[in-house]
Amino acid sequence: MLMFTTLALSAVCSIDAPAPVPSYRQASTVVIIPIEGAVDNVTAHSFERRLKEASDADAVVIELNTPGGDLMSTLEICYQIKNHAPSNTVAWINPHAFSAGTIIALACRDIIISEGGMFGDAAPINAMGVPLPDSERAKIESPILAEVIDSARRNHYDERLVEAFVSVGIELWLINNIHTGERICVNAREYETIFGKFPPQDFTPISMNESDQSSFTPFFQIDEIKGDQSYDPLFVQELPTSRRNIENESENDWGLVKHIVPSDRLLTLKPTEASQYGLIKHVVASKQDVKDWFGAKTTKRIERNWSEALLSILLSWPVRLALIALFVICIVVEFSTGTSGVFGIAASICMAILMGAPWIVGLAQWWDVLFVLLGLILIVCEVMVVPGTGFTGFTGIAFLLVGMVGSFVSGDLTTPEGQTQLVVGLSTVVGGFVLAGFATWFIVKKYGASPAITRLVLNDALDVPTSNEYKTPPVGITALASTDLRPSGKIMIDDVLYDATTSGGWISQGATVRIIQTGLCLEVEEVEI
């Protein structure tokens, strides 16, 4: 009876006891670093900071929920993982990690995934989300393929499989060694080498006519077809391949498991398939499952701080477009009305945010800021010092535009990524100016006669009529400055207000001025009485 009780207790304990944790994965303290949303420069800087903060942890979990993002930022994060993260670094796909997220996950030693999660589809696209032409795609795919192949060799993933995440045109089949249970992914040539026949086509093609097939040229054929000089991602590898040589394999040793991916689509995986291909180690349902998987006592989550979250918002193109529009509106109002300088301060704040945010994360270079400052100085000189020349003003505007567009570009302009950033920058800056023009027109048309607008130009403070039938006063007569001229404002002649601009420094309200030029507007100078 005692023996039976002992055996029963042992059976119960064995059922309830958790699975032993391998020593290489065992960790007492686990730090979770989440990467959510689009991967950009702010994400890369934030990840580097948080990785340093997690330097004392036994294990680091990179929790991924991202649709993708910037290539250079993605490669920077992968570099940090491979060179500065602890060896016990694991990617947790929770729930989705596409494009950049997949590349980051492959850089980690192991991958775990939430129930119902998905990852893959890491082909480069342009800023509008449209697939790239073959020649342009090849230039961007080279560093991505080099990165994922390096990750595969480091972490013992199948090289052919990770290539299928990146390049359309890589068709794969999964075969199984009937003696050892080993599974490998093979392409059509390797399949024919083993089985002596063309592999089966179990997938329904997406493209239904020959004209579509040109869009799916495999990357490894581009050099042969178009003579591109892009480097071979296999050639640049520092680690040797772990793939077996299948040239001498016997057909009797292998059997077909399934067709993995056809030639007209990218590889995208759910947990069951990813586990079948050896890409993931575990499926988890919660943070507690992650903790148990490491056998950890404590877990700590390090989020982005408030400044990083704010920077990410300020660097988004809609916010930058709005800042450009506000800057232009404030400048126009400041120079065209006799206001108190509030709009000039607001314009300065907009420009400081517009250039300061990219400067912090390394997008804007010193010459971008210099061009903006030179542009503003030249515009002020045109308005206040040498009005009417035009050349100084146009040069200032050119410098200003070049500096603002340059703050969008972090890469080399000879690369597709740099060119994409240039297009986004040009579109945003031009869009900001157009938006400012429409906004100014709408405000004047809709609210031009409202008390708020008249108060803005200080008309309500002047109990005098404004000239309705505009008659140009002669050159040489004197007038009284009814508002500050900084450089634009109002002057009074025979109890009638006229718009005027100063030819030199700002003129204070109440000063005596003399008209020195007429035309589109009256130009005046201060005279001593």
Side-chain angles (χ1 to χ4, degrees):
M1 183 66 180
L2 179 61
M3 181 179 295
F4 176 80
T5 303
T6 303
L7 290 174
L9 289 173
S10 299
V12 171
C13 292
S14 63
I15 293 173
D16 294 338
V21 178
S23 58
Y24 76 91
R25 196 172 71 217
Q26 181 73 50
S28 177
T29 303
V30 175
V31 169
I32 299 175
I33 301 178
I35 295 179
E36 295 184 303
V39 176
D40 54 19
N41 291 69
V42 178
T43 308
H45 281 260
S46 174
F47 178 80
E48 182 179 0
R49 176 191 64 81
R50 289 182 285 172
L51 189 61
K52 290 178 181 178
E53 192 174 334
S55 59
D56 294 334
D58 300 316
V60 170
V61 174
I62 303 172
E63 183 180 356
L64 295 165
N65 182 23
T66 172
D70 175 63
L71 172 59
M72 293 307 298
S73 301
T74 301
L75 296 180
E76 175 61 27
I77 291 173
C78 291
Y79 176 84
Q80 293 294 329
I81 292 171
K82 293 177 180 179
N83 293 277
H84 301 295
S87 59
N88 198 5
T89 296
V90 174
W92 175 19
I93 298 172
N94 183 33
H96 303 122
F98 297 112
S99 192
T102 297
I103 298 170
I104 294 170
L106 293 172
C108 300
R109 190 200 62 206
D110 292 326
I111 302 174
I112 58 178
I113 189 169
S114 296
E115 296 176 348
M118 186 184 298
F119 65 108
D121 192 356
I125 56 176
N126 65 15
M128 306 303 294
V130 179
L132 299 168
D134 282 345
S135 58
E136 188 174 347
R137 176 165 57 90
K139 293 179 182 178
I140 304 180
E141 278 187 0
S142 289
I144 301 176
L145 284 167
E147 177 62 36
V148 297
I149 292 172
D150 176 76
S151 296
R153 293 183 178 183
R154 287 171 180 264
N155 303 314
H156 309 291
Y157 304 132
D158 193 291
E159 293 176 28
R160 291 283 187 269
L161 197 65
V162 300
E163 291 167 4
F165 284 128
V166 179
S167 289
V168 176
I170 296 179
E171 191 169 15
L172 297 177
W173 289 261
L174 183 66
I175 60 175
N176 176 70
N177 190 301
I178 60 178
H179 304 296
T180 65
E182 178 187 5
R183 290 185 172 187
I184 60 173
C185 302
V186 295
N187 57 26
R189 182 188 62 78
E190 292 171 327
Y191 187 97
E192 289 186 69
T193 299
I194 295 176
F195 296 100
K197 59 182 178 180
F198 193 77
Q201 300 292 317
D202 299 328
F203 275 91
T204 302
I206 293 176
S207 50
M208 302 305 294
N209 57 70
E210 292 185 3
S211 62
D212 291 338
Q213 297 299 326
S214 61
S215 300
F216 303 116
T217 305
F219 169 78
F220 294 110
Q221 295 179 16
I222 289 175
D223 286 346
E224 300 172 9
I225 295 173
K226 299 197 174 184
D228 277 4
Q229 300 302 313
S230 53
Y231 62 85
D232 185 344
L234 296 173
F235 178 77
V236 301
Q237 298 301 313
E238 295 181 355
L239 299 174
T241 182
S242 58
R243 283 181 59 84
R244 67 158 58 236
N245 185 354
I246 63 171
E247 298 295 331
N248 300 318
E249 294 293 329
S250 170
E251 176 184 356
N252 298 326
D253 294 333
W254 296 92
L256 175 64
V257 178
K258 65 181 297 187
H259 191 181
I260 297 174
V261 60
S263 61
D264 59 352
R265 68 193 74 176
L266 291 162
L267 183 62
T268 304
L269 299 176
K270 300 282 281 185
T272 301
E273 293 176 307
S275 179
Q276 188 179 28
Y277 304 147
L279 285 176
I280 65 168
K281 291 293 181 67
H282 193 56
V283 178
V284 298
S286 64
K287 179 180 173 181
Q288 183 61 45
D289 286 351
V290 176
K291 182 178 178 181
D292 294 341
W293 191 67
F294 283 97
K297 296 179 181 178
T298 59
T299 58
K300 178 183 177 183
R301 188 180 180 89
I302 306 179
E303 300 279 1
R304 290 196 307 178
N305 58 37
W306 68 268
S307 61
E308 292 164 347
L310 179 60
L311 270 178
S312 186
I313 294 172
L314 294 177
L315 286 173
S316 62
W317 71 263
V319 172
R320 298 175 84 176
L321 183 144
L323 286 170
I324 293 169
L326 285 173
F327 167 78
V328 174
I329 293 171
C330 290
I331 286 292
V332 170
V333 172
E334 181 66 28
F335 284 157
S336 61
T337 66
T339 55
S340 58
V342 173
F343 286 96
I345 296 173
S348 300
I349 293 173
C350 289
M351 184 53 66
I353 295 173
L354 188 65
M355 299 302 296
W359 172 272
I360 292 173
V361 298
L363 272 174
Q365 307 300 319
W366 65 268
W367 63 266
D368 298 321
V369 178
L370 178 62
F371 270 39
V372 167
L373 291 175
L374 285 175
L376 292 174
I377 292 171
L378 289 174
I379 291 172
V380 171
C381 288
E382 169 69 24
V383 174
M384 297 181 57
V385 181
V386 285
T389 62
F391 175 77
T392 307
F394 282 123
T395 304
I397 292 173
F399 275 124
L400 186 64
L401 291 175
V402 170
M404 287 194 293
V405 172
S407 68
F408 286 79
V409 181
S410 61
D412 186 349
L413 285 178
T414 61
T415 65
E417 183 180 18
Q419 293 163 8
T420 298
Q421 291 174 340
L422 178 62
V423 170
V424 172
L426 280 171
S427 302
T428 305
V429 172
V430 173
F433 276 80
V434 172
L435 179 61
F438 275 113
T440 304
W441 172 83
F442 177 79
I443 292 170
V444 172
K445 184 177 179 63
K446 188 79 172 176
Y447 304 104
S450 67
I453 297 297
T454 55
R455 226 180 350 260
L456 178 65
V457 296
L458 304 182
N459 283 349
D460 64 330
L462 305 169
D463 189 19
V464 293
T466 301
S467 176
N468 292 323
E469 183 178 352
Y470 192 86
K471 297 180 180 179
T472 304
V475 173
I477 70 169
T478 59
L480 187 68
S482 298
T483 68
D484 291 337
L485 278 76
R486 299 181 298 104
S488 300
K490 303 284 187 180
I491 64 172
M492 183 182 294
I493 303 174
D494 296 332
D495 296 329
V496 177
L497 289 177
Y498 293 87
D499 294 316
T501 183
T502 174
S503 62
W506 289 358
I507 299 175
S508 301
Q509 181 180 4
T512 300
V513 298
R514 179 173 55 240
I515 299 176
I516 60 174
Q517 184 175 322
T518 60
L520 294 177
C521 66
L522 300 178
E523 187 175 331
V524 300
E525 64 179 1
E526 186 173 5
V527 295
E528 300 291 339
I529 299 179

